Amino acid sequence: MVIDRRTIRTQAAIETGFIEVLSQKPLNKITVLELTEQINIGRGTFYSHYKDLFDLYNRIMQETTRTLSRLFDENYPDPGTDSYEFFANQMITYVDEHRKLFTSLMHNDLGANLRFNSRKC
């Protein structure tokens, strides 16, 4: 399926705006109205791309996990290799380039609850 440029730009704007708002407050305190006003789109536009804020959050998490997994698979040194420098640099560079996302996720109440719940399992 081919996605047109407008869709890609709109989704990128929504994700960027969401990460910005998420850096300021917990997910459960963010509203679709607040997000759409911040990035200057209509609520209908948001809902044409995502079911709700949790759907948006989950998609961002899935994409981030896929990218980290791909980077890991492509750059992890072969057995017997003594140097992990290139691998470490690739991973650190990705995290640094997406610093706002990782900071928002680590400081978000939802993230704390997920870590807490995973310890119970």
Side-chain angles (χ1 to χ4, degrees):
M1 174 170 68
V2 177
I3 300 176
D4 73 20
R5 290 182 205 169
R6 289 175 299 170
T7 299
I8 293 169
R9 279 195 308 265
T10 300
Q11 288 176 338
I14 292 170
E15 290 176 8
T16 300
F18 177 70
I19 292 166
E20 181 64 36
V21 175
L22 191 62
S23 72
Q24 300 166 13
K25 59 173 47 176
L27 177 59
N28 62 354
K29 301 289 185 194
I30 300 171
T31 66
V32 171
L33 179 61
E34 174 184 17
L35 174 60
T36 57
E37 285 178 349
Q38 171 142 341
I39 59 176
N40 198 27
I41 64 169
R43 288 179 49 207
T45 301
F46 174 87
Y47 287 114
S48 70
H49 296 279
Y50 305 98
K51 289 187 286 190
D52 55 26
L53 291 171
F54 293 99
D55 180 38
L56 171 57
Y57 178 88
N58 286 329
R59 288 195 205 181
I60 291 171
M61 291 298 295
Q62 288 169 353
E63 182 58 33
T64 302
T65 302
R66 271 194 299 272
T67 301
L68 284 170
S69 181
R70 181 184 51 77
L71 282 171
F72 188 91
D73 292 343
E74 290 173 358
N75 297 295
Y76 194 79
D78 292 328
T81 303
D82 291 337
S83 177
Y84 289 85
E85 184 176 347
F86 181 76
F87 168 73
N89 283 335
Q90 293 299 308
M91 300 303 277
I92 291 168
T93 298
Y94 179 79
V95 171
D96 186 49
E97 289 172 353
H98 298 87
R99 178 184 311 230
K100 187 156 223 139
L101 169 65
F102 286 100
T103 302
S104 298
L105 296 175
M106 288 189 312
H107 292 100
N108 195 287
D109 286 348
L110 180 63
N113 290 337
L114 290 175
R115 282 190 299 277
F116 178 76
N117 289 337
S118 67
R119 290 183 184 150
K120 288 182 177 180
C121 298

